Amino acid sequence: MPADDAPRPLLIIDGDNLAHRAYHSTPKTVTGADGSSINAVVGFVGMLVKVWVKERPRGVFVAWDTLGVETYRHRLWPPYQSGRVFERAIVQQLELLPRLCQAFGLGVGKRAGFEADDLMAAAAIAEVERGGACLLLTTDRDAYQLVSAQVTILAARRGARELERIGPREVVERLGVLPEQVPDFKALSGDSSDKIPGLPGIGPKSAAALLLEHGTLDSVLDAWGRPKEAELALTFREVARMRPDVPVELPPSGPPDWPGGSAALRLLGASALADRVAALADGQS
């Protein structure tokens, strides 16, 4: 947690990433007033409260995917993220959560054709350009490309009881490349979770070694002189790269609207959590 007189960073949350973690770590027996599952909602808000209390950010921005809508990544590489099937209970809560975040007075980013990754990138760059710093709450390694002196990743562990800080040094320790080389690294080595195969015969270690030697994907490809592989690798890099050219509105500084969030939770039937959130308003935590 920053000192009282230190500038406070903007907390940027990967909404879908946190919601999925909450869904799988909170008992599915948690139900709302209408009997439907709200375990992801309860887990999400519980994590939000924990991180807010620990970090005291200046504000919160939550980025969301638009489910069921094709993005520019699918047009570049049709197999991208193919085969993913979500349970109906998490899909319903993913549709609900952005509205709940608005009830809490948080900044919300969601735009058809773009992913949460792109909205996170846009918000982080906008915050840094105004002289601020950011904390990115996500466990997705794609976000490593955004890490800098002003941008730190918070990777929640043990249900947000532990928050691992990932800066430029940690990115190098984990991947063997600099943050700005992450899209090039993924283009070469691939990412099975996103159905990006990478180039034949190249794994993480060889990709890191090639980028250490040549610096960029373009230089690697120039040294190889393989036009077909070059075209494929450049496509993979565009798929892996976060695009910040999507409009976002940064939230004002100040705590969440705890009373508003509490009221929304109470309507859902999460009375115990609503009481806990309402208590935060007394101290404007």
Side-chain angles (χ1 to χ4, degrees):
M1 183 170 67
D4 289 342
D5 58 347
R8 295 184 175 182
L10 174 66
L11 176 62
I12 300 174
I13 298 176
D14 183 344
D16 292 78
N17 178 268
L18 186 60
H20 279 281
R21 286 181 60 82
Y23 180 74
H24 292 290
S25 64
T26 306
K28 295 180 182 178
T29 53
V30 177
T31 56
D34 62 356
S36 61
S37 178
I38 57 169
N39 64 325
V41 169
V42 170
F44 183 99
V45 174
M47 291 184 194
L48 167 65
V49 170
K50 288 177 183 177
V51 175
W52 179 274
V53 170
K54 284 183 180 180
E55 300 296 333
R56 307 290 187 185
R58 76 155 189 85
V60 181
F61 178 89
V62 190
W64 297 97
D65 290 339
T66 303
L67 297 180
V69 177
E70 186 182 74
T71 71
Y72 67 90
R73 291 184 173 93
H74 296 97
R75 292 189 290 274
L76 286 168
W77 182 244
Y80 176 69
Q81 292 187 349
S82 60
R84 290 189 177 185
V85 178
F86 300 143
E87 296 176 8
R88 180 174 175 80
I90 180 61
V91 172
Q92 290 175 331
Q93 293 178 80
L94 285 170
E95 293 172 351
L96 169 65
L97 275 163
R99 298 195 299 273
L100 181 63
C101 289
Q102 291 175 331
F104 272 90
L106 311 180
V108 173
K110 184 174 181 179
R111 191 175 182 90
F114 292 86
E115 294 183 51
D117 287 355
D118 305 308
L119 292 150
M120 290 173 64
I125 290 173
E127 183 70 9
V128 170
E129 286 179 346
R130 67 186 291 275
C134 305
L135 296 172
L136 307 184
L137 182 61
T138 184
T139 58
D140 189 347
R141 288 192 171 196
D142 289 348
Y144 283 9
Q145 63 191 271
L146 299 177
V147 170
S148 68
Q150 295 81 29
V151 180
T152 300
I153 288 177
L154 292 180
R157 308 295 182 201
R158 299 176 179 270
R161 290 191 296 273
E162 296 178 7
L163 294 172
E164 183 180 15
R165 277 177 151 70
I166 300 172
R169 177 180 296 181
E170 288 74 23
V171 173
V172 174
E173 289 173 352
R174 285 162 173 75
L175 300 184
V177 298
L178 298 170
E180 57 267 29
Q181 293 175 310
V182 169
D184 292 4
F185 174 82
K186 288 190 64 175
L188 289 166
S189 64
D191 184 339
S192 59
S193 66
D194 285 339
K195 297 293 179 70
I196 301 173
L199 298 187
I202 298 181
K205 289 185 179 179
S206 53
L210 285 167
L211 290 171
L212 178 63
E213 178 182 357
H214 296 283
T216 67
L217 175 63
D218 302 87
S219 295
V220 171
L221 298 175
D222 286 343
W224 279 2
R226 304 176 188 173
K228 289 185 178 180
E229 288 190 359
E231 183 179 357
L232 199 58
L234 293 173
T235 296
F236 292 157
R237 181 171 65 182
E238 287 308 303
V239 174
R241 180 179 284 156
M242 293 180 173
R243 278 180 52 180
D245 58 330
V246 52
V248 294
E249 184 175 348
L250 298 180
S253 296
D257 181 355
W258 301 122
S262 174
L265 287 170
R266 205 172 299 282
L267 287 174
L268 288 175
S271 298
L273 182 57
D275 291 341
R276 179 184 167 200
V277 167
L280 293 171
D282 296 336
Q284 283 296 292
S285 298

